[in-house]
Amino acid sequence: MPYGAPTMATFLSCSFSGWSLIPPVLTDFDEDLKIAARFIDNQYGTNVSAAQRGGDHFSSKVEVTLSKINVEVLLALADENKRSDIRQALERVIFRTIERGLYSKHKYYDLLVSKIVKSEQKACLISFNYDLLLDRALTDAVRDTANTWSYAVPFSAGISQFPSYCDSADPTILLLKLHGSLNWGKCQKCGSLRLWFYSKYDDIFRKTWPSCEACSGKGFKPVLVAPASDKRISSELGMAWKAAENCLQKTDKLTVIGYSFPSFDRESRGLFLKNFVLPNLFVDPSPKLTIIEPNKCVRESIKGTSKNSNMFR
């Protein structure tokens, strides 16, 4: 959030921010916003579409509604209703909103990753974000060192165009992006994964790339997992989830930064509960769990998950 990244609480407000002005300021992804607006109106009985059509600014009711709707829940609803058109529009809205609000480098990400690399200890970074802030910081930090890092995801192509990325069998640092990443694409024909360097959404998915190296198929789609109760996790991405399980089971210290373990995302909560909390309930000394979260209610909620152990601080 300090770097301009929209949080879930403000995401849709950021996406539609231009429409709330008088006169409206259009974006380069307005057609996708229109599809998203109609979907929101159908689902929640709002009138978001009117702002763009008639030039009327958002009513306070619409503003409040947008602040209450989780954009990833919309993704899940599109999946449940088998609406690929809405899913595609939402994907572009998500990625373009993220890209519009972020700069390429941020010193605190660089500082965090640099300290991890300099510690010369193995580390695992688990993220549910789609942005590339950690990825960029890692690429810079391991340059000219003996350290290697991996997503723990098997890519069939594109790695040669990603300087410094080395999918080693035993990397120093794992970056596990369990909900996907802006720079991953999935072949629409065979499902194999391709890795791009730090390219924007339109440069990846609105551009003609060489055919899939696995099946010669044309066209890729984003790897974007909605945090729903019934997640659509491919077998390839499942390898990253398995790596996360292993890391949580083996670690002697877990630091959680700004993640609230939302109740609607049962898979992610279960990952933490099954592989870190439950195995350590009666272990002495137990691993340490450190929560870096300004919201006291969120801290207490996570503490309640671990209340039968002495790991929390």
Side-chain angles (χ1 to χ4, degrees):
M1 184 171 61
Y3 305 117
T7 64
M8 284 300 102
T10 62
F11 201 96
L12 287 174
S13 296
C14 290
S15 300
F16 288 99
S17 60
W19 290 17
S20 65
L21 302 175
I22 304 176
V25 175
L26 303 184
T27 70
D28 59 354
F29 56 101
D30 251 46
E31 291 305 311
D32 303 284
L33 283 174
K34 289 179 187 177
I35 295 172
R38 289 195 294 269
F39 188 54
I40 292 169
D41 292 342
N42 290 335
Q43 291 291 326
Y44 298 98
T46 54
N47 199 15
V48 178
S49 302
Q52 199 277 339
R53 286 200 309 267
D56 299 324
H57 68 284
F58 286 167
S59 67
S60 57
K61 179 182 177 182
V62 171
E63 286 280 13
V64 170
T65 301
L66 287 177
S67 70
K68 299 294 184 184
I69 300 172
N70 187 311
V71 68
E72 291 178 316
V73 171
L74 292 179
L75 267 182
L77 289 171
D79 287 344
E80 290 172 8
N81 290 291
K82 295 181 172 55
R83 293 296 304 271
S84 59
D85 56 332
I86 295 173
R87 153 60 90 143
Q88 186 174 359
L90 288 170
E91 288 171 345
R92 189 161 185 253
V93 167
I94 289 171
F95 283 164
R96 294 296 290 115
T97 300
I98 292 173
E99 291 167 352
R100 194 171 50 166
L102 290 177
Y103 296 102
S104 61
K105 288 178 65 63
H106 300 290
K107 64 179 181 180
Y108 291 115
Y109 279 86
D110 291 342
L111 180 62
L112 170 66
V113 174
S114 176
K115 285 186 175 293
I116 291 173
V117 171
K118 288 178 181 178
S119 74
E120 297 185 347
Q121 295 181 348
K122 288 198 170 187
C124 176
L125 302 171
I126 298 175
S127 177
F128 297 99
N129 294 339
Y130 311 124
D131 66 65
L132 303 174
L133 295 176
L134 276 173
D135 318 50
R136 286 179 176 274
L138 262 175
T139 299
D140 290 341
V142 303
R143 187 177 291 122
D144 301 322
T145 73
N147 295 281
T148 57
W149 68 277
S150 173
Y151 289 119
V153 170
F155 296 103
S156 300
I159 299 176
S160 59
Q161 285 77 45
F162 196 138
S164 85
Y165 184 78
C166 178
D167 190 17
S168 67
D170 187 27
T172 311
I173 299 173
L174 284 172
L175 174 54
L176 307 177
K177 304 182 78 171
L178 301 187
H179 283 172
S181 183
L182 190 151
N183 60 331
W184 301 355
K186 185 173 184 178
C187 175
Q188 298 190 58
K189 183 177 179 181
C190 73
S192 61
L193 298 182
R194 181 185 178 99
L195 174 65
W196 278 268
F197 192 50
Y198 304 126
S199 302
K200 292 184 177 180
Y201 177 93
D202 287 355
D203 291 336
I204 295 176
F205 300 108
R206 294 201 163 192
K207 185 174 179 179
T208 302
W209 287 86
S211 301
C212 172
E213 292 186 10
C215 72
S216 299
K218 301 279 188 181
F220 297 84
K221 58 183 179 180
V223 179
L224 201 69
V225 177
S229 56
D230 181 23
K231 288 186 180 179
R232 297 187 177 186
I233 301 174
S234 65
S235 59
E236 296 86 0
L237 196 53
M239 294 176 67
W241 280 79
K242 185 62 179 177
E245 292 176 5
N246 293 336
C247 289
L248 288 170
Q249 291 167 10
K250 295 176 181 178
T251 190
D252 58 5
K253 180 181 180 182
L254 175 63
T255 302
V256 180
I257 305 175
Y259 186 66
S260 61
F261 295 94
S263 57
F264 59 80
D265 191 357
R266 292 183 293 185
E267 284 285 338
S268 300
R269 290 171 68 93
L271 177 73
F272 167 72
L273 184 65
K274 295 174 186 175
N275 298 286
F276 184 77
V277 176
L278 295 180
N280 294 300
L281 285 177
F282 304 106
V283 174
D284 187 21
S286 63
K288 293 300 180 183
L289 170 62
T290 302
I291 306 295
I292 301 175
E293 167 58 59
N295 188 317
K296 182 179 179 180
C297 293
V298 173
R299 292 199 308 271
E300 291 302 315
S301 174
I302 300 171
K303 185 176 180 179
T305 304
S306 311
K307 63 184 178 181
N308 293 322
S309 74
N310 62 351
M311 66 178 68
F312 180 84
R313 66 179 181 188

